[in-house]
Amino acid sequence: MAKKNQSVQAVRGMHDILPEQTPRWQYAENIIKDVLASYCYKEIRLPVVEKTELFKRSIGEVTDIVEKEMYTFDDRNNDSLTLRPEGTAGCLRACLEHGLLHNQVHRLWYMGPMFRHERPQKGRYRQFYQLGVETFGMADPDIDAEIILLTDRLWKKLGIRNKLRLELNTLGTTEERLAYREKLVDYFKQHIELLDEDSLRRLETNPLRILDSKNRDMQALIKNAPELMDYLSEDSLNHFEALIATLDSSGIEYQLNSRLVRGLDYYSKTVFEWVTDDLGAQGTICAGGRYDGLIEQLGGKENYATGFAMGMERLLLLLEQLDDVTVPRSVDVYMIRVGAEAEKVGMCLAEQIRNEVTGIKLQVNCGAGSFKSQFKKADKSGAEFALILGDDEVSRGEISLKPLRTDQQQKNISQSEVIQVLKELI
Ligand code: ATP
Ligand code: MG
């Protein structure tokens, strides 16, 4: 048992996002929300815990996530519950449960923590945040193109477009994949002595994932494997060609990658990833595609769905590498008050300023202190200006305004004018 006085630490792989980091997160989140709003996507908020069965049925029993990464536990009623490892399953569950999928079209997004029991390393955690986007009810490839264009716009707004490349593939339908799967298994069985341990296991459970192997020794074998593209129906090929045509006419560059199979079972037709070389092994920032079959698999009627998930931590790691990212100030004005009367007047004045000056971030020094010590705090807060109230200012009905980041002089203004002055400055 832990000693009584020893402090309790966070769970391995689960991180606090500290106050000094949150402005950058909020900056990114605000841009994301603005971009989503400009495409008329609506937010959906979902529980972080779902019945274990939901993930088994949707993600697939033999995927890495379900086999070894889920946080599953029995609750007090002995129901098996799981902390969500991803958001698509819960989003679909909610839409089915509330009848949102009947003859309707939806463009949805959510943001929040996901949980996977993986080996923690840079860009890989046990609790991490994702932005998820899902669309329902649209069969044509124009919506596949739209979600890709949306992400492209997002990277541009965040200033990281040149760090990312788009990889694209098509997986066809489940039936087409099954036919291909047989050919692939035949091929790998002919070269069974070349398969590593992981691949031998996957040969029985999920042979397409062998194509995704990072093992160098297997690359030649993988390179010569049959191509899924040769087993696709006309419908699947047309879908892919139409998507490519839209991306071409929109000027979006992409690399076709026939080895891109994704870790989850539920994809069909389009799959894509946005990848960077700047984050080491954890290079995929955003991944998604079409998953038409999943709605039926979860008990709904035949329908259409596309979506993607983006890892917020990996995005933030990329943003940190930029030198010129302008995160908004968290304090505009810091109010210094010295003396009992100044403290009273200052607190009331601060309220009036917040009433009148839209959006101002005004921090009032609380807990007394000399001018000198309050100035130090004002400087540390990052504020652009200090408002200074001492007994002198109070007796004259004035307040001093001091720019903290330029050489401009401090000036006295009347308390009745301060709102107008700040309106012009902020
Ligand atoms: P990877 O191949 O890196 O394990 P994945 O295929 O398991 O990724 P998805 O399930 O498609 O990932 O999740 C979408 C995105 O969520 C990833 O591209 C990544 O940015 C992020 N992500 C996934 N797992 C983690 C994790 N454990 N920690 C941080 N981010 C993650
Ligand atoms: Mg993974």
Side-chain angles (χ1 to χ4, degrees), residues 13 64-65 69 85-86 114-131 209 212 214 262-264 266-267 273-274 281-288 308-315:
D64 281 353
I65 294 182
E69 295 175 359
E86 55 97 61
M114 306 294 161
F115 304 84
R116 297 184 195 176
H117 196 275
E118 304 195 68
R119 194 169 69 78
Q121 51 197 294
K122 186 181 162 196
R124 191 176 295 288
Y125 314 99
R126 290 181 173 174
Q127 173 170 338
F128 60 99
Y129 289 78
Q130 274 186 345
L131 161 71
R209 285 282 280 173
D212 205 22
K214 305 285 182 292
R262 311 282 310 116
L264 303 99
Y266 52 55
Y267 285 102
E273 286 191 0
W274 285 97
Q282 273 57 251
T284 305
I285 294 281
C286 172
F308 67 79
M310 182 189 64
M312 292 295 291
E313 283 82 2
R314 294 187 195 175
L315 176 73

Side-chain angles (χ1 to χ4, degrees), residues 257-280:
N257 176 359
S258 60
R259 304 296 168 220
L260 188 68
V261 294
R262 311 282 310 116
L264 303 99
D265 268 358
Y266 52 55
Y267 285 102
S268 61
K269 296 185 176 165
T270 312
V271 285
F272 67 87
E273 286 191 0
W274 285 97
V275 186
T276 179
D277 294 322
D278 294 351
L279 293 181

Side-chain angles (χ1 to χ4, degrees), residues 49 333 380:
V49 179
V333 176
K380 220 175 148 200

Side-chain angles (χ1 to χ4, degrees), residues 309-322:
M310 182 189 64
M312 292 295 291
E313 283 82 2
R314 294 187 195 175
L315 176 73
L316 267 286
L317 284 169
L318 267 193
L319 285 179
E320 272 166 29
Q321 293 177 358
L322 303 178

Side-chain angles (χ1 to χ4, degrees), residues 227-414:
E227 295 264 351
L228 173 58
M229 203 68 97
D230 298 330
Y231 296 83
L232 295 187
S233 67
E234 209 175 308
D235 176 54
S236 289
L237 286 173
N238 288 343
H239 186 98
F240 196 50
E241 275 161 21
L243 168 64
I244 283 178
T246 311
L247 295 180
D248 284 342
S249 64
S250 311
I252 306 277
E253 280 177 37
Y254 51 84
Q255 289 171 4
L256 297 181
N257 176 359
S258 60
R259 304 296 168 220
L260 188 68
V261 294
R262 311 282 310 116
L264 303 99
D265 268 358
Y266 52 55
Y267 285 102
S268 61
K269 296 185 176 165
T270 312
V271 285
F272 67 87
E273 286 191 0
W274 285 97
V275 186
T276 179
D277 294 322
D278 294 351
L279 293 181
Q282 273 57 251
T284 305
I285 294 281
C286 172
R290 182 167 278 275
Y291 53 96
D292 291 340
L294 185 57
I295 298 177
E296 254 180 305
Q297 206 172 307
L298 290 179
K301 293 215 180 75
E302 190 186 1
N303 207 328
Y304 307 99
T306 63
F308 67 79
M310 182 189 64
M312 292 295 291
E313 283 82 2
R314 294 187 195 175
L315 176 73
L316 267 286
L317 284 169
L318 267 193
L319 285 179
E320 272 166 29
Q321 293 177 358
L322 303 178
D323 345 296
D324 57 346
V325 56
T326 39
V327 174
R329 280 197 298 273
S330 42
V331 184
D332 296 321
V333 176
Y334 192 98
M335 185 184 278
I336 290 169
R337 306 171 301 159
V338 178
E341 200 51 29
E343 284 185 6
K344 240 189 286 171
V345 173
M347 200 58 116
C348 296
L349 195 57
E351 288 303 317
Q352 286 168 20
I353 293 171
R354 291 191 190 98
N355 287 342
E356 303 284 336
V357 186
T358 322
I360 193 171
K361 294 171 197 140
L362 170 60
Q363 182 168 338
V364 173
N365 187 87
C366 287
S370 66
F371 278 113
K372 194 173 165 203
S373 74
Q374 293 195 36
F375 262 115
K376 264 196 194 155
K377 290 190 202 160
D379 191 46
K380 220 175 148 200
S381 76
E384 194 74 6
F385 299 97
L387 278 174
I388 306 144
L389 266 181
D391 288 340
D392 285 354
E393 283 85 359
V394 171
S395 65
R396 292 197 302 267
E398 290 181 344
I399 190 162
S400 290
L401 180 77
K402 184 176 163 58
L404 295 174
R405 314 288 153 197
T406 64
D407 295 337
Q408 282 170 342
Q409 289 296 305
Q410 173 170 338
K411 62 180 178 190
N412 290 344
I413 42 184
S414 82

